[in-house]
């Protein structure tokens, strides 16, 4: 039996935000195919944007024609979103066992940011005992996606009543009721989405904040990056000060700062922790072709720099395996996969999530890595990517089988491709 390593889907609109569900659907733990679900969001410059959930062609659908006419993924349900979603994420895997106050057990949560933080409830299709339909089942099939809450607080730094647009967010794995958002108004806000309240809002940067991430395993510490070119860490237990972990060097030949002008810096666009070793995190600069890997134990400069892309980097993501694999995507139409196992050091005394942000380690010289272990070329610029959870092998409708392990979904224009890693 042949194995398939590539699945695809064509969306009706350009795709920007994308995320792979973190676990199988409630009640479907024995059906690995229910882990093949993606949340996607459109990017059109109007107020008619959409979000959608796509999944595999259902094995209960009997089609007599040749399978090649049908995409691997089909739209299960979609909803209006208004402005484009700057980020879309499925609930963390830990959310299934969390004691939510107002969520049905069969519902899964998704969240999006844009003009507000929106929390959505998704009800999947429960497997029917027997189906009266032969051939295609009616569309919709029990899938529902409804808006649960929309949160936008009053801004600390702007006088208008509505909050400024949100650029990104991070969902806490340990306490899935906690979400931290980043905004163009220089602030970050920590929300309790279970009670729909803001816990705290703080002025995080001198300029727009572009991305934010919880320290894995912690409910207190998060980091953020922004237009001022800095990477900062915050601890909810001591908000009176933040720790600057990294600042981008001033561009060569740039004029020096005066009292009236700020020093030109290269904005940092994204930040992501290695889930297997939270000492390490990755970031990249606006218009930058390289990816910087930072070590929280020796802040100030990158410990590794990944050089392989020929055009600006758009997205990156760490796999969830013990091995430190990082995928990066770029305008050069390439997705590169980097294995950093030979370059990162596991700490002899790892910094635990409860310790403060100071466990120094001797300065290490920056290492340049230029050889990814895998490269995939798309037909156009790759704007975003998302890793799947570990998924068991299974047999597709087409008769092809899939190997167990992780998949990587990439968004390129209207196309989504899922690559077996």
């Amino acid at each position: 039996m042949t194995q398939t390593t590539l699945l695809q889907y064509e969306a009706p609109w350009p795709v920007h935000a994308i995320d792979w569900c973190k676990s199988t659907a409630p009640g479907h733990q024995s059906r690995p195919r229910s882990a093949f679900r993606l949340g996607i969001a459109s990017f059109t410059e109007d107020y008619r944007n959409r979000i959608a959930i796509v999944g595999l062609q259902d094995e209960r659908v009997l089609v007599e024609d040749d399978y090649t006419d049908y995409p691997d993924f089909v739209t299960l349900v979609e909803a209006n979103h208004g402005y484009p979603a700057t980020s879309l994420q499925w609930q963390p895997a830990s959310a299934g066992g969390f004691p939510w106050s107002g969520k049905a057990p069969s519902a899964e949560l998704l969240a999006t940011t844009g003009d507000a933080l929106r929390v959505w409830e998704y009800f999947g299709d429960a497997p029917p005992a027997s189906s009266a339909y032969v051939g295609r089942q009616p569309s919709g099939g029990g899938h529902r996606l409804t808006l649960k809450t929309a949160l936008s607080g009053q801004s600390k730094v702007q006088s208008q009543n509505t909050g400024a647009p949100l650029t990104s967010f991070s969902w806490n794995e340990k306490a899935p009721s906690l979400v931290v958002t980043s905004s163009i108004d220089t602030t970050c806000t920590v929300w309790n989405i279970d009670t729909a309240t803001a816990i705290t809002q703080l002025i995080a940067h001198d300029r727009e904040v572009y991305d934010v991430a919880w320290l894995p395993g912690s409910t207190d510490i998060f980091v953020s990056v922004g237009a001022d070119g800095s990477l900062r860490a915050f601890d909810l237990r001591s908000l009176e000060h933040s720790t600057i972990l990294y600042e981008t060097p001033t561009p060569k030949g740039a004029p020096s700062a005066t009292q009236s002008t700020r020093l030109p810096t290269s904005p940092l666009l994204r930040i992501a922790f290695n889930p297997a070793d939270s000492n390490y995190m990755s970031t990249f600069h606006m218009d930058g072709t390289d990816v910087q890997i930072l070590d929280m134990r020796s802040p100030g400069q990158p410990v590794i720099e990944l050089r392989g892309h020929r055009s600006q980097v758009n997205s990156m993501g760490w796999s969830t395996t013990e091995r430190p694999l990082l995928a990066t995507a770029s305008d050069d139409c390439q997705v590169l996969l980097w294995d950093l196992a030979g370059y990162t050091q596991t700490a002899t005394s790892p910094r635990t999530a409860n310790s403060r942000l100071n466990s120094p380690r001797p300065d290490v010289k920056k290492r340049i890595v230029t050889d990814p272990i895998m490269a995939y070329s798309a037909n156009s610029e790759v704007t975003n990517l998302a890793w799947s959870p570990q998924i068991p092998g299974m047999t597709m409708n087409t008769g092809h089988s899939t190997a167990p392990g992780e998949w990587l979904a990439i968004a390129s224009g209207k196309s989504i491709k899922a690559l077996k890693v």
Side-chain angles (χ1 to χ4, degrees):
M1 186 187 292
T2 51
Q3 286 203 340
T4 184
T5 57
L6 172 69
L7 302 170
Q8 44 200 359
Y9 173 78
E10 287 290 319
W13 18 256
V15 176
H16 173 59
I18 179 171
D19 195 30
W20 201 301
C21 70
K22 309 290 193 290
S23 53
T24 51
H28 292 250
Q29 284 76 5
S30 60
R31 294 174 72 233
R33 62 182 303 114
S34 79
F36 277 89
R37 292 172 302 153
L38 297 166
I40 59 174
S42 69
F43 185 87
T44 55
E45 294 185 0
D46 53 30
Y47 196 67
R48 296 200 299 271
N49 282 273
R50 311 277 287 169
I51 62 170
I53 293 175
V54 301
L56 289 181
Q57 284 272 21
D58 200 295
E59 71 268 42
R60 288 173 283 141
V61 178
L62 304 172
V63 184
E64 293 171 5
D65 325 335
D66 183 19
Y67 279 105
T68 52
D69 294 347
Y70 296 100
D72 298 306
F73 288 98
V74 290
T75 307
L76 301 176
V77 66
E78 56 182 305
N80 284 317
H81 195 272
Y83 291 113
T86 52
S87 181
L88 175 151
Q89 292 173 38
W90 289 80
Q91 65 181 27
S94 58
F98 185 77
W100 299 96
S101 61
K103 180 179 87 67
S106 60
E108 293 172 89
L109 300 180
L110 287 89
T112 56
T113 44
D115 52 332
L117 169 64
R118 290 182 171 82
V119 181
W120 306 79
E121 268 191 321
Y122 167 59
F123 293 89
D125 197 7
S130 63
S131 172
Y133 293 98
V134 174
R136 289 193 167 272
Q137 292 203 331
S139 61
H143 297 270
R144 294 203 317 279
L145 182 62
T146 54
L147 181 63
K148 185 173 163 64
T149 46
L151 304 167
S152 71
Q154 188 165 353
S155 171
K156 258 190 178 179
V157 291
Q158 294 184 337
S159 54
Q160 74 240 40
N161 289 326
T162 53
L166 303 174
T167 51
S168 187
F169 71 100
S170 178
W171 208 323
N172 195 290
E173 178 82 34
K174 195 174 173 187
S177 56
L178 294 180
V179 168
V180 58
T181 57
S182 54
S183 170
I184 63 168
D185 70 357
T186 75
T187 67
C188 291
T189 305
V190 179
W191 302 89
N192 181 331
I193 58 168
D194 197 31
T195 58
T197 53
I199 295 171
T200 187
Q201 183 184 66
L202 52 107
I203 296 171
H205 287 258
D206 301 329
R207 295 169 62 188
E208 298 94 329
V209 191
Y210 288 141
D211 199 13
V212 66
W214 288 104
L215 174 69
S218 173
T219 56
D220 298 301
I221 297 170
F222 63 89
V223 297
S224 61
V225 291
D228 60 9
S230 71
L231 161 63
R232 304 186 184 204
F234 300 88
D235 190 328
L236 295 179
R237 297 164 296 192
S238 55
L239 282 176
E240 57 276 4
H241 60 85
S242 64
T243 306
I244 295 180
L245 297 173
Y246 172 64
E247 285 188 289
T248 55
T250 308
K252 290 186 178 70
S256 57
T258 64
Q259 284 187 326
S260 59
T261 65
R262 276 191 293 230
L263 202 64
T265 58
S266 174
L268 292 171
L269 294 188
R270 291 283 174 263
I271 184 70
F273 278 100
N274 172 5
D277 182 353
S278 58
N279 287 303
Y280 293 100
M281 54 197 154
S282 54
T283 186
F284 58 84
H285 299 233
M286 182 180 283
D287 301 324
T289 58
D290 306 333
V291 173
Q292 286 74 34
I293 309 294
L294 297 148
D295 185 336
M296 277 185 117
R297 297 160 297 185
S298 57
Q301 65 164 351
V303 291
I304 304 169
E305 197 157 71
L306 307 179
R307 296 181 180 172
H309 288 292
R310 298 185 300 277
S311 189
Q312 70 176 40
V313 177
N314 293 322
S315 182
M316 62 185 176
W318 295 86
S319 86
T320 56
T321 54
E322 287 300 307
R323 196 167 184 85
L325 292 178
L326 179 70
T328 58
S330 161
D331 269 2
D332 64 7
C333 311
Q334 293 240 95
V335 176
L336 302 180
L337 189 63
W338 308 84
D339 184 350
L340 302 179
Y343 304 96
T344 56
Q345 299 171 346
T346 48
T348 46
S349 56
R351 176 182 44 71
T352 63
N354 292 323
S355 66
R356 301 290 173 141
L357 288 162
N358 50 1
S359 40
R361 108 180 228 218
D363 273 353
V364 261
K365 196 172 183 306
K366 180 170 75 176
R367 302 177 71 170
I368 308 297
V369 182
T370 56
D371 46 343
I373 59 164
M374 187 191 93
Y376 174 81
S377 295
N379 295 328
S380 62
E381 293 91 344
V382 184
T383 50
N384 219 333
L385 57 81
W387 286 89
S388 80
Q390 291 283 332
I391 300 178
M394 58 178 211
T395 305
M396 308 284 290
N397 295 12
T398 52
H400 294 100
S401 66
T402 66
E406 286 181 299
W407 293 72
L408 185 64
I410 64 167
S412 178
K414 294 181 178 181
S415 294
I416 291 174
K417 292 190 167 50
L419 315 170
K420 179 71 185 70
V421 176

